[in-house]
Each structure stands twice: as structure tokens, then as C-alpha cells.
Amino acid sequence: MNIVVCVKQVPNTNEVKTDPKTGTLIREGVPVIINPEDKVAVEAALQLNGNVIVLSMGPPQAEEALREALAMGAHEAMLLCDVKFAGSDTWATANALAAAIKRLSYDLIICGRQAIDGDTAQVGPQLAESLALPQISYVQKIEINENKIIAHRELEDGYEIVEAKLPALITVTKELHKPRYASLHGINSAYEKEIKVLTAKDIGADEKTVGLKSSPTKVKKIFTPQGKSAGVKLEGDIKTVCQKLICILKEKEIIREF
Amino acid sequence: MIKGVITEFANNEIKPYAADVDEQQKFPEEQIKKLSELGIMGMSIPKKYGGAELDNVSQTIIMEELSRACNATAVTMGAHASLACYPMVNHGTDEQKERFLPKLASGEYLGAFALTEPNAGSDAVNVQTTAVRDGDDYIINGNKIFITNGGKADLINIVATTDRSAKHHGLSIFAVDAKKTKGFLLGKKEDKLGLRGSNTQEIVFQDMRIPKENLIGGEEGKGFKIAMEVFNSGRIGIGAQGVGIAQAAFDECIIYAKEREQFGKKIYSFQALQFMLSDMATMIEAARLLCFKAAYLKDQGKKYIKEAAMAKLYASDTAMDVTRKAIQIHGGYGYIRDYPVERFYRDAKITEIYEGTSEIQRLVIAAELLGRGF
């Protein structure tokens, strides 16, 4: 089974700083890692014992993320790296990834649910659309049965079991697996493997569908939302608590006496 | 990549158990198993024998990161990788390497090195343990104290004298398959100030019969030279350990200084505290660079004896000074076991003692500066 895993290199922090002028991420000086749920995707692929190809799009330094996936045990790695891809939004990113994947033979595509920097959770589903594949998002458990995948899809209050024909695309959550640590042997061999660096031309990408200019999303403004303030805890017996609650609700004019 | 992986691994898989390992004097068996899975137990062993064959700078980084997370675990691994594997890798016969290195690399075998005796420590030449040739065997008698991993190890390199009149030219090292050898006995297990989860035990040899094929290098009289080499190399690791302890203590101070308020202000806003933190960070960085320099010289195949001794001397000083200040910064909380800095303080002290005391390091440095026999 050939499995393609899409990974993104992200800044290693949840406190990503953005450039107020351009609305894009400030990457300089921030340590980078494989997006945590993409690492889960790599782990999932490795556990399915297939031939694992990791794919990323990004600047040249994204090679390091692919190198780490190779160290975990992935067999091949490809980096889409071209100024023509720069500034792609999720749609344009999915188009570029799709162009590269079309040229491969694959049975399953695994993506992380979402990246910790942009938090959009869109690239996976858009990639499936672009390739006209069945997709199952928010996957927390998988089973492969001949040419079918049966997945538990995480919901807010439970899960649903969804079946799809292969080839298909799934996006996985961290509940699926705890990713392994790369061993020293894995790290050694990762530096002996080649990472294929591909340009827009190499993958035959339609230039009208990739890059900043082709991206339908325009970032107007980026700001840090104010955190929710801590709630108020009312204590005492039921009667006093209810009375206190009614008082507060009245003060806020949420309820009124007639 | 090694740094990133090890840091994450150490934080998630080693550090959370460090307090327990100390408190219960619990040998970090599980942690060593995990280190084996990652190939860290074989980090100093050639790929040919199943090791990772890492350069010395990478090994230094790993030692620092593990020490930062849990010292008892780090020293268990360190004694294995440096004291047990080094003599075998660098001086073992091909047959010995084939026999022992794959097991040491996979972690199936835990290693140790036994030199110290009641009357031989810094004075290594005064080893009383004897090895007497008897046909195709050697018969070893004596006892060794303070042996790191002594009660847990499968392979122990034992320094014994094959010819006492020849003094240091009469010392030889024997690889002992401890758990399979008759006459190998365990003595007192030590109850220590720090590194409480690490196994430190007396080992006793009573007419212990060892095949002559287990004489490391196959030639008598090389023991002293090998032992000195082992210590030169091991010093970089102890230096890295000092840096790791100091870094762990420093990290706690930054967290605490940002939390704790006195006189209506966070305590980090006081210059007295800022000066302490600045001094600590500077010492740590300097100690780390000394370790890296010694490791780098070793990687380049250059002489590194002086630099390794300086790295160990300065890093152990740093560990003591930084952990002492760390308790001071924590005030009363630093003195109680709810906070980890008192453990770091207890763990730090040994770095000034084992694998050559700070006094011995100064002698080594002086000898390098002034020439032997100045």
C-alpha cells in the first residue's frame, strides 16, 4: 500500500507572532517543528506498514521537517519549493499538493487535522476535493479492510463510524496515535536518504491556481482575540446559589421581573 | 535533529519520573529500556556492531539533555556508554567486539566499569584486586566499591593487577559477564546524597574464573593506559552532566522568579536577582562551550586531555554554584522537597568527585600546561 502523508513545518509555539503590516507569520528566530497532528499522520502511515511518502510545501528549511519524518521511518520525501508557491492560501496549497500527488501512485492520503499556526483545518479537505477523493476528517481510529477504510470520526460528544473506498483522504487527530520518537538509527539513515525538491514546473502545476496572486483568501487583519475571563463560581446551598444567580442575571438585565 | 528529538523525549519520557526515581531510590529500568529503543545505549558504538556511532559533540548534547531531565538516568546511561563501551570499542579484540558490542548497543547488556577500591581511587595504581593466570583462565580476587551500575550490569570492565611489581604497567582490564560468572558477588548497595536512583554498589570477586579471551585487548599490562583514556573521554560526559544539572536548576529559577511576588513585585524585577540569573546563565554557557570544545577536539582526532579536564572542572563548579544559587532564589521553598532544586543541589555534588575529583582535574591541567614531571 502506498501512503502519502502531508506535513507542514510550523513554529514551535502556540504564541505565534504575526506581522501587523502584512498579516503573515513572523518565522524568523522561531524554532520550527513538524506540526504535531501531521506527526500523528506519519505515525498512522507507519503503523499501516505501507510505503510511506511524506510531502510538504514550504521554504527550503522545510526539508528539516521531512528529514524528521524520514527519521521516524518514512521511506521517501518530497518538498514542493518554488517562489511561485509563496503566499498560497489553503486552496492554492491544496492545488499544489494535488498536482504533485496526481503524479504518484497512492492508496491513501493522510493529513493532520489542522496546523497549530493557521488552525484552518482546510488543506486536507480541499486536497481531497481537488483530487476528487472521498474524505474522512477528524479521524481518531482507523482500520483497513481490503480496499476500504473504516474510520472513527471524532465528534463533539462521541464518534461516528464512516467507511470509504480507497483511494481516500483522511485527516487525523492526536487521539489516533502517540507519534514515535525518531531513533538514532533512524536519524542516521534519514541523512542518507534524498529529499526530492520539486518546482511548480516539475509537478506541472497550473500557475493560475497556486501562489499568493491566485489565492482567493485575502488576509485583511490579524489580531489576538481577548481571552475569556474566568467564570464566577457560586457557592452555598441550592437556594442561596439560585438567589445569587437570579440577582446576577437581573443585574445584567438578562431576566426581568414583570 | 538529535537535539530536538532528545529534548522532547527527555521532557516527556524521562523528566516526569525524576522526582520519583530520587525519592524511592528507584533504579530507572523503564527509562533505560526507552533509551535502548531509541538507540541511545549504543550511541558510542560503531554502526558495524549495531550502534549509532555518533560524534562526540552529539553525545555531549544527549548527555546534557538527559542530565537536565533526570540525573540518575543520565549517569546510568553515561557509565554504560562511556565507561563500559569505550574500552571495548577502542581496545577490544575483534572477537571481543563481536561478542559484546551488539549486546551493549541494543541495551540487552548494561555496562559498568570497576576501578575504585577501598584503597585505590584517585591513586589508581594502588589496585589490590589480583588476576592470576591459570591455564586458559584468569582467577580474580578482590573487591571494588562505589561501582556505578555495579549491581545491575551484565558486562563489567574490571581493573586488576596481573603483576604488582610492575605497578601501573601491571594493570589489566577484564571484561566480566557478571550475571553468568561464578565467584562474582554483590556487596553493599550505597545510600547516597544524590543520584539516588542510580545503582552504586560494592562488587566482590571470590576465585572468579574468567577465560583469558576476556582480557581486554588480549595483552597484559595495558590496563592503566586504557583506564586513563576512559577517564579523559568520560570527563566530557561528566562536564555535560554538570551543565545539564545547572540548566535544569536555572530553568526552575526563571519560572519561579516570574511567579513569586514580594514587596508587591515579581521577584525577577529586583536587580539582586537579575544579577544572580545573569551570572548563572553565563557560567552555564561557558561550561557548555568548554564541553563542546573538548568533544570537538576529540572528533577531530586532536589532543583533548586538558580541555576535557577543564570542561569537567568548570562544569562541576558551575553545577554546584548554580544549584546553590537556585535554592537561594527559591528561598524556603528551595529547601523543601516540593520543589526540585534541592534534588539538583544534591545531584550536583558528585560531579566534583567521580571520574577524577576537581583536585585531580587541576593536576591534569597543570601537567598539560607545564609538561609531565614538572
Side-chain angles (χ1 to χ4, degrees):
Chain A
M1 185 157 83
N2 284 324
I3 306 169
V4 178
V5 180
C6 299
V7 302
K8 184 182 185 184
Q9 191 181 48
V10 293
N12 183 13
T13 169
N14 285 316
E15 297 162 33
V16 180
K17 293 205 173 72
T18 49
D19 184 333
K21 274 185 203 152
T22 61
T24 53
L25 299 173
I26 301 173
R27 292 175 189 275
E28 285 78 39
V30 186
V32 285
I33 53 167
I34 298 183
N35 179 50
E37 282 177 329
D38 298 352
K39 228 169 160 175
V40 177
V42 174
E43 180 64 39
L46 293 173
Q47 291 202 16
L48 290 171
N49 280 324
N51 179 52
V52 179
I53 305 162
V54 280
L55 173 66
S56 187
M57 183 171 104
Q61 58 267 32
E63 260 194 35
E64 192 61 14
L66 291 172
R67 200 70 75 185
E68 196 181 333
L70 289 173
M72 286 173 73
H75 304 90
E76 295 172 52
M78 281 180 216
L79 176 66
L80 309 184
C81 187
D82 193 328
V83 281
K84 292 191 175 109
F85 297 136
S88 290
D89 70 354
T90 60
W91 183 78
T93 302
N95 288 337
L97 294 173
I101 293 173
K102 265 180 202 159
R103 306 176 150 245
L104 305 170
S105 117
Y106 60 90
D107 303 289
L108 180 65
I109 301 171
I110 312 181
C111 302
R113 176 190 55 140
Q114 67 190 48
I116 55 170
D117 53 356
D119 272 329
T120 67
Q122 287 173 359
V123 173
Q126 283 171 330
L127 176 58
E129 285 302 311
S130 188
L131 291 167
L133 290 179
Q135 58 169 293
I136 310 173
S137 53
Y138 295 85
V139 169
Q140 58 177 11
K141 196 179 164 195
I142 39 180
E143 197 189 307
I144 302 282
N145 199 340
E146 295 194 1
N147 62 340
K148 276 186 226 152
I149 179 166
I150 299 143
H152 287 208
R153 192 168 176 271
E154 196 179 318
L155 303 174
E156 248 178 41
D157 50 0
Y159 63 87
E160 59 185 7
I161 302 173
V162 183
E163 189 182 284
K165 249 193 196 162
L166 295 177
L169 180 145
I170 61 171
T171 76
V172 300
T173 70
K174 57 180 182 298
E175 276 68 32
L176 178 62
H177 292 302
K178 186 182 168 211
R180 71 192 63 187
Y181 297 96
S183 71
L184 295 182
H185 297 283
I187 293 172
N188 277 337
S189 63
Y191 284 97
E192 283 155 17
K193 286 179 191 164
E194 186 209 359
I195 292 174
K196 270 186 225 149
V197 181
L198 301 169
T199 61
K201 201 178 150 201
D202 293 336
I203 57 169
D206 178 355
E207 285 185 24
K208 284 185 215 100
T209 65
V210 298
L212 182 65
K213 277 189 190 154
S214 312
S215 295
T217 320
K218 304 286 173 218
V219 179
K220 194 176 168 199
K221 188 179 157 195
I222 284 195
F223 63 96
T224 311
Q226 259 188 334
K228 280 184 190 165
S229 58
V232 183
K233 198 173 173 187
L234 302 176
E235 278 174 88
D237 57 52
I238 292 177
K239 205 177 166 189
T240 25
V241 170
C242 286
Q243 277 166 352
K244 279 185 202 164
L245 180 63
I246 288 167
C247 287
I248 294 169
L249 292 175
K250 274 185 192 166
E251 265 172 37
K252 296 197 182 284
E253 295 184 352
I254 290 166
I255 56 172
R256 216 180 330 170
E257 257 176 288
F258 288 103
Chain B
M1 194 192 315
I2 288 176
K3 170 99 198 302
V5 171
I6 297 303
T7 301
E8 195 186 339
F9 171 80
N11 285 343
N12 297 337
E13 310 293 331
I14 305 291
K15 197 177 163 193
Y17 309 102
D20 204 35
V21 162
D22 175 69
E23 192 95 15
Q24 320 275 334
Q25 297 198 47
K26 200 158 124 195
F27 186 70
E29 204 128 21
E30 282 301 306
Q31 288 86 322
I32 294 300
K33 224 170 102 190
K34 288 177 185 169
L35 290 173
S36 304
E37 283 164 18
L38 254 61
I40 292 175
M41 298 307 273
M43 70 177 185
S44 60
I45 294 174
K47 286 180 187 167
K48 194 177 150 193
Y49 299 106
E53 203 174 338
L54 290 190
D55 60 276
N56 287 283
V57 174
S58 299
Q59 291 187 42
T60 304
I61 291 171
I62 291 177
M63 192 60 190
E64 181 191 330
E65 284 306 291
L66 291 180
S67 304
R68 186 179 56 75
C70 172
N71 242 295
T73 305
V75 75
T76 305
M77 187 283 286
H80 168 93
S82 111
L83 301 181
C85 298
Y86 184 97
M88 193 60 85
V89 168
N90 293 284
H91 298 282
T93 63
D94 287 345
E95 184 275 328
Q96 287 167 348
K97 289 182 189 176
E98 292 284 351
R99 194 151 41 112
F100 291 111
L101 287 181
K103 288 178 178 167
L104 290 166
S106 68
E108 182 192 336
Y109 265 29
L110 181 68
F113 184 87
L115 169 75
T116 305
E117 297 179 2
N119 293 312
S122 295
D123 181 8
V125 180
N126 199 28
V127 163
Q128 306 288 313
T129 297
T130 55
V132 180
R133 183 73 184 261
D134 180 39
D136 281 345
D137 297 334
Y138 281 94
I139 297 169
I140 300 181
N141 278 290
N143 68 324
K144 300 281 180 185
I145 57 165
F146 305 156
I147 304 308
T148 303
N149 298 347
K152 299 283 182 183
D154 301 276
L155 174 88
I156 308 187
N157 296 322
I158 287 164
V159 183
T161 174
T162 34
D163 177 5
R164 194 168 290 167
S165 64
K167 291 190 177 168
H168 57 272
H169 291 302
L171 295 180
S172 299
I173 301 181
F174 297 88
V176 178
D177 207 326
K179 289 177 182 166
K180 294 181 187 159
T181 303
K182 250 173 101 177
F184 177 90
L185 306 165
L186 293 181
K188 184 177 167 240
K189 191 178 158 224
E190 304 298 344
D191 187 2
K192 306 187 292 295
L193 172 69
L195 295 180
R196 292 177 62 75
S198 141
N199 171 271
T200 310
Q201 200 154 344
E202 180 186 9
I203 53 179
V204 182
F205 324 119
Q206 275 177 6
D207 294 327
M208 180 173 74
R209 203 171 261 277
I210 299 287
K212 70 176 195 312
E213 288 74 27
N214 284 25
L215 168 63
I216 289 186
E219 207 181 315
E220 287 182 16
K222 297 269 181 171
F224 186 77
K225 190 179 157 276
I226 298 173
M228 288 306 115
E229 254 182 58
V230 167
F231 291 132
N232 284 333
S233 161
R235 275 166 198 151
I236 308 174
I238 305 303
Q241 199 188 359
V243 176
I245 301 170
Q247 185 67 50
F250 179 79
D251 292 345
E252 291 298 324
C253 290
I254 292 287
I255 295 169
Y256 187 77
K258 286 182 174 173
E259 264 172 24
R260 174 75 168 169
E261 283 184 24
Q262 287 288 277
F263 306 103
K265 281 188 211 164
K266 301 279 187 198
I267 59 169
Y268 72 79
S269 60
F270 299 112
Q271 278 193 339
L273 211 100
Q274 291 170 10
F275 288 175
M276 267 202 260
L277 291 172
S278 302
D279 289 347
M280 290 156 88
T282 307
M283 283 182 84
I284 293 169
E285 199 59 38
R288 180 178 291 129
L289 290 176
L290 272 174
C291 292
F292 284 168
K293 179 164 183 194
Y296 171 79
L297 289 173
K298 192 177 173 210
D299 281 332
Q300 299 298 310
K302 294 189 176 142
K303 213 174 161 205
Y304 64 94
I305 297 174
K306 183 182 74 188
E307 288 76 10
M310 286 175 165
K312 187 198 179 264
L313 173 65
Y314 189 72
S316 52
D317 262 2
T318 299
M320 279 312 287
D321 202 30
V322 168
T323 54
R324 182 173 60 82
K325 286 194 174 112
I327 293 184
Q328 195 64 21
I329 287 171
H330 281 70
Y333 290 107
Y335 198 67
I336 58 173
R337 296 210 166 179
D338 296 357
Y339 285 80
V341 285
E342 64 82 29
R343 166 161 51 89
F344 301 147
Y345 183 68
R346 288 185 286 109
D347 283 352
K349 182 61 202 172
I350 191 63
T351 62
E352 294 188 316
I353 300 168
Y354 63 10
E355 295 205 31
T357 60
S358 290
E359 292 67 34
I360 292 289
Q361 303 309 322
R362 288 183 171 92
L363 291 179
V364 170
I365 296 166
E368 290 297 314
L369 293 172
L370 304 167
R372 296 272 160 193
F374 53 85

